[in-house]
Amino acid sequence: MRITLIHALKHSIAPTANAFSRLWPEARLMNLLDDSLSADLARDGGLSEAMTARFLALGRYSASTGSDAILFTCSAFGPCIEAVARAQAPMPVLKPNEAMIEQAAATARRVGLLSTFAPTLASMPAEFPRSVELVPKLAEGALAALDRGDRDAHDRLVVQAAADLRDCDVIALAQYSMAPAANLVAEATGRPVLTTPDSAVAKLKKLLG
């Protein structure tokens, strides 16, 4: 199976590849990166028709290469990805977080949603079912540290922010780039931790594998 991975942050590429190598090494991957998507969203403060058009173009290109599925790894663009899913149906088109949300809703009542990208906390909560009590938390400064190449500082800030989520049943890491910190968060909080890449790969494998 050929899976197109579409990234808005360069930091998402390695954690996604790692998840596939562990959980579904037989899948063939194609990576597309447009790191201006996140920068433009942060600048504009919200999604627009122009942004949706850019996502639709990425979807058309992915389909033209013969891909069997598309996985977006950028968690703040839900409506844009939904538009791609409608345009490319019946090809599976996954939001980065939908598999993790399904897993969290099936296993927990109170979910801590930890993010390093503020727009994610504006768009992603609406994707959770009402049965879930969501506790959003921003790890301030973590993404900037990662942009500087300081993974240790990123992980430290993520773990510090996770301390406020100790009373949750499970902690969900919203960004793919946060996945390498999952074990540290689990150790620090004593709570199960879900990551978007592991959940997404498991769902794709079930759908296509």
Side-chain angles (χ1 to χ4, degrees), residues 58-70:
L58 289 167
R60 288 191 297 271
Y61 176 75
S62 301
S64 74
T65 69
S67 290
D68 297 291
I70 300 172

Side-chain angles (χ1 to χ4, degrees), residues 20-173:
F20 271 100
S21 68
R22 288 184 289 105
L23 303 175
W24 194 14
E26 300 83 8
R28 294 184 297 122
L29 306 181
M30 181 179 79
N31 289 280
L32 299 179
L33 170 65
D34 182 351
D35 55 7
S36 70
L37 294 170
S38 292
D40 290 349
L41 175 59
R43 179 199 64 203
D44 297 340
L47 300 174
S48 64
E49 290 185 7
M51 183 66 76
T52 300
R54 292 168 66 179
F55 271 74
L56 289 170
L58 289 167
R60 288 191 297 271
Y61 176 75
S62 301
S64 74
T65 69
S67 290
D68 297 291
I70 300 172
L71 171 60
F72 286 89
T73 69
C74 33
S75 59
F77 300 89
C80 298
I81 299 169
E82 290 168 3
V84 177
R86 290 191 296 269
Q88 298 302 330
M91 178 195 294
V93 175
L94 266 63
K95 295 179 187 176
N97 38 47
E98 68 178 78
M100 184 181 72
I101 290 171
E102 292 168 1
Q103 188 176 357
T107 58
R109 182 190 64 83
R110 183 176 171 88
V111 176
L113 180 63
L114 186 56
S115 174
T116 59
F117 187 52
T120 295
L121 295 180
S123 64
M124 191 172 167
E127 299 175 27
F128 280 82
R130 292 185 178 181
S131 59
V132 171
E133 179 185 354
L134 202 62
V135 183
K137 179 67 178 180
L138 179 66
E140 295 189 26
L143 186 57
L146 199 59
D147 286 338
R148 297 193 303 268
D150 193 342
R151 165 62 70 174
D152 289 341
H154 167 276
D155 292 355
R156 182 174 64 254
L157 291 167
V158 167
V159 169
Q160 288 175 0
D164 291 341
L165 303 175
R166 286 197 182 103
D167 60 344
C168 296
D169 301 319
V170 68
I171 296 174
L173 303 185

